[in-house]
Amino acid sequence: MTEHVTAAIIGAGFGGMGAGISLDRTGIDDWVILEREPDLGGTWQVNRYPGLAVDIPSLSYSFSFEPNPDWSRLFAPGAELKSYCDHVADRYDLRRRMRFEHTVTEAHWDEAEERWVIELSDREPITATYLIAATGFLSQPRVPDIDGIDTFAGTVIHSTDWDATADLTGTRAAVIGTGATAVQLIPEVARQAESLTVFQRTPIWVVPRIDMEMPGWLRALFRRAPLTQKVARKGNDLLLESLIFGVVHHRQAGFASRLVQRGAQRFLHSQVRDPALRRQLTPGYSFGCKRPTFSNSYFRTFTKPHVTLETDPIARVEPDAIVTESGTRHQIDTLLLATGFNLWDVNFPAITVVGRDGRDLGKWWRENRFGSFQGVSVPAFPNFFSLASPFGYTGLNYFTTIEAEMVHLSRVLGEARRRGAPTVEVTETAYDEFCARMRRLVEDTVFTLGDCATARSYYFNQHGEATLLRPTASWRAHREQQRFDLAAYRFSPAQSRSEPSAIRA
Ligand code: NAP
């Protein structure tokens, strides 16, 4: 007998946990989370590289309904985020429904049985009435396809697979990549390594990180008077939202992002005296085309005598060196890959999902255009919700995205239960209208109006369309998830099955 559950969630990160909480709130408690890793936490379980910290102020980086008054710093270190994940899992009784080392390879819709068949590597498949993909936007690490990289004889570590025993003391290290991960990692590696060469293909906009230890009195205040923390969070949310206001509403408020860009330029100027080095570190694209980052130590690291910034493209890797196109040979012992993630080829969706009439979601997205309804659903995929969909991500804070999507799930599944409908599927019309509106809004963003040609930003897909971010303010996205017309979904009639599995829970 194949095991059946009402809902299967893929991924035990914050998205999956949020989905689980939503299901409980909707009255569905017969669900499981399938997680490929041996523990929960998603990003915060996988990423353990030195320097890891939340890269927006922690005041906003938590579920709004489960605030944490105990962050040790304004930008909390990664280990505290992992502890917060554990806390949420225990507090909301999620852990007993998590199955670790369960790698989903494929899911397909069984039309006759009106359920998803979920294939797992080295395990029996299970079936589920609802399938919720909570695999995140950044779950498929990118290992660069550089000539000779397999021949490197030293240690190679990707930032998502950090070796806790790795000791960089006295080594000749190299970091490839200068994204948000590298910005955190590079100053730490420079502290330990005898020499460090950073291979930069595209510079990144960096703004100062106004970090501080959270004083004991403030934490006590947050504990005793939770309203004060709510107010502090609102203020911080506003600040983050204003940082990207000029990015999203570039036509109307492009001056705001140009102002932030000028601030970032001044910051670089204050950190690096050498004009040549400064030029190398200055992005040639508009602020906001690519995710900006916060750091006080990144730029200064390049002024240290044992740190080299290499901007000549990499030609090949040899067993003991990286050779650039102009022939410079950098001898190294350790190669650190801060090369990010592959979103558009393998992350949308992160597993093979085959819906009605054999439609393969990833293939269909790639061969047509990337899209979703409200960042969550796609026609021909009944009872399927993908929390990491095109036009899903809002703002700089992942929690604004998750919480808006939790509202979406609760409303749709709550309605399905009220109607006793075994299947629910977004209509083509609702999908087309939403995608068309998002594409129109993208016309007003920096992605269209700014100079993004050299950004190599993962906000753009392989067709050059900026389909990752939902081009609206976060509060607007949240409100829309609360209010969209449920007629956007087709709820199949209850009588189509004698006992709908959706309401068995
Ligand atoms: P990323 O932003 O995609 O950066 C990857 C870097 O690797 C880029 O500089 C890229 O250069 C470079 N690269 C990739 N392939 C290369 C190749 N073949 N040769 C040379 N360079 C290559 O990835 P990330 O830094 O891991 O950050 C991803 C996202 O994770 C961030 O935007 C942020 O949202 C999130 N993040 C969050 C935190 C946090 O909250 N603590 C920390 C880190 C990251 P190009 O730009 O030229 O492609």
Side-chain angles (χ1 to χ4, degrees):
M1 283 284 286
T2 303
E3 182 189 359
H4 180 79
V5 289
T6 299
I9 299 167
I10 309 173
F14 282 128
M17 293 202 277
I21 294 168
S22 268
L23 292 173
D24 280 345
R25 285 176 179 170
T26 314
I28 300 172
D29 64 1
D30 168 27
W31 56 262
V32 292
I33 290 184
L34 305 169
E35 168 58 60
R36 70 183 173 189
E37 296 295 323
D39 196 0
L40 61 90
T43 285
W44 302 102
Q45 142 69 18
V46 168
N47 285 283
R48 286 151 187 261
Y49 59 82
L52 176 70
V54 67
D55 75 349
I56 59 161
S58 341
L59 280 172
S60 292
Y61 201 81
S62 61
F63 285 110
S64 60
F65 53 83
E66 190 57 39
N68 176 16
D70 291 320
W71 299 122
S72 66
R73 305 192 63 82
L74 193 51
F75 287 78
E80 286 184 31
L81 267 300
K82 171 66 175 96
S83 303
Y84 176 72
C85 296
D86 289 331
H87 163 79
V88 172
D90 294 335
R91 177 80 197 264
Y92 291 86
D93 190 24
L94 309 176
R95 206 184 280 268
R96 72 183 163 86
R97 288 166 288 184
M98 291 178 177
R99 297 184 187 175
F100 300 117
E101 295 176 327
H102 277 55
T103 305
V104 176
T105 52
E106 182 185 321
H108 65 264
W109 177 247
D110 181 336
E111 184 75 49
E113 294 294 322
E114 294 182 322
R115 56 182 52 181
W116 285 94
V117 179
I118 301 159
E119 307 285 347
L120 297 154
S121 68
D122 305 326
R123 291 177 194 276
E124 290 302 306
I126 67 167
T127 61
T129 306
Y130 299 119
L131 178 65
I132 302 172
T135 44
F137 293 91
L138 304 165
S139 68
Q140 311 288 45
R142 180 197 298 280
V143 176
D145 183 18
I146 299 172
D147 193 22
I149 197 161
D150 295 338
T151 67
F152 185 66
T155 311
V156 183
I157 309 175
H158 192 281
S159 57
T160 57
D161 190 21
W162 197 261
D163 176 0
T165 62
D167 182 8
L168 300 176
T169 315
T171 58
R172 294 167 299 177
V175 173
I176 301 182
T178 50
T181 298
V183 166
Q184 294 184 335
L185 177 66
I186 285 167
E188 294 302 316
V189 176
R191 240 166 245 139
Q192 297 171 31
E194 178 190 294
S195 67
L196 167 63
T197 308
V198 175
F199 292 84
Q200 171 187 277
R201 194 161 63 179
T202 311
I204 185 164
W205 285 113
V206 182
V207 295
R209 174 161 123 160
I210 304 162
D211 196 10
M212 62 169 194
E213 233 174 75
M214 297 290 258
W217 64 264
L218 190 59
R219 292 198 245 168
L221 180 70
F222 285 166
R223 256 195 307 275
R224 281 195 210 114
L227 189 64
T228 56
Q229 189 169 10
K230 263 195 183 155
V231 172
R233 180 184 181 129
K234 278 275 172 248
N236 191 51
D237 284 352
L238 255 173
L239 208 74
L240 287 173
E241 206 60 32
S242 63
L243 200 63
I244 60 156
F245 185 76
V247 170
V248 172
H249 302 291
H250 201 74
R251 189 181 300 283
Q252 301 82 358
F255 65 90
S257 60
R258 283 191 290 275
L259 212 67
V260 181
Q261 179 169 322
R262 265 204 291 284
Q265 264 162 339
R266 264 192 220 119
F267 176 57
L268 170 59
H269 205 277
S270 72
Q271 301 267 303
V272 177
R273 290 275 153 231
D274 175 1
L277 180 58
R278 231 171 23 227
R279 262 195 306 281
Q280 285 179 305
L281 289 167
T282 304
Y285 54 87
S286 309
F287 180 89
C289 293
K290 190 173 197 152
R291 194 183 194 284
T293 186
F294 301 79
S295 175
N296 299 334
S297 50
Y298 176 68
F299 287 140
R300 282 215 187 115
T301 303
F302 294 101
T303 64
K304 294 184 192 308
H306 70 299
V307 178
T308 306
L309 177 65
E310 179 58 88
T311 55
D312 192 23
I314 298 171
R316 63 183 181 279
V317 176
E318 294 184 348
D320 62 344
I322 298 183
V323 183
T324 69
E325 281 183 3
S326 64
T328 311
R329 199 165 184 282
H330 296 272
Q331 263 204 315
I332 55 164
D333 316 304
T334 307
L335 175 52
L336 305 172
L337 302 175
T339 43
F341 303 86
N342 187 343
L343 280 76
W344 300 105
D345 299 320
V346 284
N347 200 66
F348 287 108
I351 49 147
T352 302
V353 179
V354 182
R356 223 188 264 292
D357 304 325
R359 183 183 285 183
D360 178 324
L361 181 57
K363 205 162 170 275
W364 185 74
W365 263 337
R366 280 178 266 285
E367 288 174 0
N368 295 277
R369 291 179 93 175
F370 285 93
S372 70
F373 174 67
Q374 298 284 350
V376 171
S377 51
V378 179
F381 294 86
N383 291 5
F384 174 64
F385 306 91
S386 173
L387 306 188
S389 288
F391 299 129
Y393 200 103
T394 53
L396 283 178
N397 181 5
Y398 189 38
F399 283 92
T400 59
T401 303
I402 303 169
E403 290 197 21
E405 293 181 335
M406 286 170 70
V407 172
H408 187 117
L409 280 182
S410 293
R411 286 188 65 213
V412 176
L413 296 184
E415 184 65 13
R417 281 172 68 78
R418 263 189 299 282
R419 296 182 184 211
T423 69
V424 52
E425 179 181 340
V426 72
T427 65
E428 295 271 355
T429 312
Y431 176 88
D432 289 344
E433 282 176 6
F434 181 79
C435 291
R437 182 157 59 87
M438 291 302 110
R439 288 185 190 116
R440 272 197 310 276
L441 288 172
V442 169
E443 297 294 308
D444 285 346
T445 65
V446 76
F447 309 124
T448 304
L449 301 173
D451 182 2
C452 293
T454 60
R456 282 179 174 272
S457 166
Y458 66 74
Y459 290 168
F460 293 82
N461 64 34
Q462 58 274 71
H463 310 302
E465 294 181 306
T467 44
L468 182 72
L469 296 186
R470 182 177 178 136
T472 67
S474 302
W475 63 267
R476 199 180 278 277
H478 197 100
R479 199 178 60 175
E480 231 183 274
Q481 298 284 29
Q482 288 169 323
R483 295 184 183 177
F484 71 80
D485 189 348
L486 282 170
Y489 279 93
R490 204 168 21 246
F491 295 88
S492 67
Q495 62 269 27
S496 68
R497 284 172 68 84
S498 52
E499 189 200 1
S501 49
I503 55 169
R504 275 211 306 262

